[in-house]
Amino acid sequence: KNQVEQSPQSLIILEGKNCTLQCNYTVSPFSNLRWYKQDTGRGPVSLTIMTFSENTKSNGRYTATLDADTKQSSLHITASQLSDSASYICVVSPIKAAGNKLTFGGGTRVLVKP
Amino acid sequence: DAGVIQSPRHEVTEMGQEVTLRCKPISGHNSLFWYRQTMMRGLELLIYFNNNVPIDDSGMPEDRFSAKMPNASFSTLKIQPSEPRDSAVYFCASSFGGMELFFGSGTQLSVL
């Protein structure tokens, strides 16, 4: 069964510090991996999309890495800000542009404290 | 563009009542998705439309759920009759080609 596991489930960090979120998947075949940010009371917003040939992609202070061999991805947040408090969801697609075949992780809830 | 627009933002209803959720996708997008999000199960795909045609409704939980897309700019998700276990946040998302999904702000549904 295709699965996406995220860790930790939640974490608290101090403003200005860095943190790294993990995503392990068993989805096969694999086409692309996405990270979404979901603020409380809002819909998820795409941060990065990586195909199997990409091993890193950045979006501002967010940097995602991908190791397609070990089926692991990470999302690194640099110099965290209060606005980074949100849930971060890892999503894997087995087929390019198959929006109905996505497997969602359970998310990591991040709380940034001043 | 204003993004994906959903209405209402919040809906409180009593068990047995009909509930209709509405979605206006981003202009020019040809794919539309309805998702349900709960703490226990996370995000689950309910139904997927491509060019206004339902392509995959395998996630629709039961016959009480139905969805329509009469044109490229409007879709509805209907629950009749509603039950307390339907309480969740319902998201509509659209995309062009199914690659990057753009989500609406969701409808928080509470069935009492």
Side-chain angles (χ1 to χ4, degrees):
Chain A
K1 179 183 176 182
N2 288 337
Q3 286 189 311
V4 177
E5 301 287 340
Q6 293 187 241
S7 62
Q9 279 193 321
S10 63
L11 70 109
I12 300 173
I13 57 173
L14 292 177
E15 186 178 13
K17 299 297 185 182
N18 304 335
C19 69
T20 300
L21 316 180
Q22 299 293 339
C23 173
N24 295 335
Y25 62 92
T26 61
V27 176
S28 182
F30 171 83
S31 174
N32 59 78
L33 184 146
R34 315 160 187 214
W35 283 95
Y36 284 86
K37 177 187 179 188
Q38 184 175 18
D39 293 316
T40 301
R42 311 294 293 180
V45 175
S46 179
L47 292 175
T48 62
I49 299 176
M50 290 183 292
T51 64
F52 64 88
S53 61
E54 299 173 293
N55 54 29
T56 187
K57 184 165 278 190
S58 293
N59 179 353
R61 294 178 298 98
Y62 300 101
T63 299
T65 65
L66 172 64
D67 186 333
D69 291 331
T70 61
K71 298 187 176 181
Q72 295 180 325
S73 176
S74 65
L75 181 69
H76 186 76
I77 305 176
T78 302
S80 60
Q81 300 178 359
L82 298 180
S83 59
D84 293 329
S85 295
S87 288
Y88 293 84
I89 304 171
C90 176
V91 186
V92 179
S93 176
I95 305 170
K96 181 181 178 182
N100 62 319
K101 301 296 184 185
L102 304 178
T103 300
F104 289 79
T108 293
R109 185 172 299 229
V110 174
L111 177 62
V112 181
K113 288 193 169 183
Chain B
D1 201 316
V4 177
I5 299 173
Q6 291 187 246
S7 64
R9 286 282 280 140
H10 303 275
E11 177 79 37
V12 180
T13 190
E14 292 187 346
M15 182 174 63
Q17 297 298 305
E18 177 179 296
V19 175
T20 299
L21 312 181
R22 298 173 175 78
C23 175
K24 176 179 169 55
I26 293 172
S27 177
H29 283 188
N30 62 350
S31 297
L32 184 138
F33 309 83
W34 281 101
Y35 285 90
R36 178 171 65 180
Q37 185 176 41
T38 60
M39 288 292 292
M40 288 293 294
R41 301 173 69 91
L43 276 161
E44 301 174 289
L45 178 67
L46 299 176
I47 188 168
Y48 157 57
F49 291 88
N50 186 252
N51 294 323
N52 312 338
V53 177
I55 302 299
D56 182 357
D57 66 354
S58 58
M60 296 286 263
E62 47 198 274
D63 292 345
R64 297 184 298 106
F65 286 69
S66 63
K68 294 182 179 180
M69 192 165 186
N71 56 61
S73 59
F74 184 66
S75 176
T76 59
L77 178 68
K78 185 176 294 186
I79 308 172
Q80 166 64 20
S82 58
E83 297 182 3
R85 60 192 168 120
D86 301 331
S87 297
V89 182
Y90 290 81
F91 287 104
C92 174
S94 71
S95 76
F96 182 76
M99 193 61 175
E100 184 164 6
L101 268 60
F102 294 83
F103 286 80
S105 294
T107 295
Q108 174 78 57
L109 174 64
S110 297
V111 183
L112 306 177

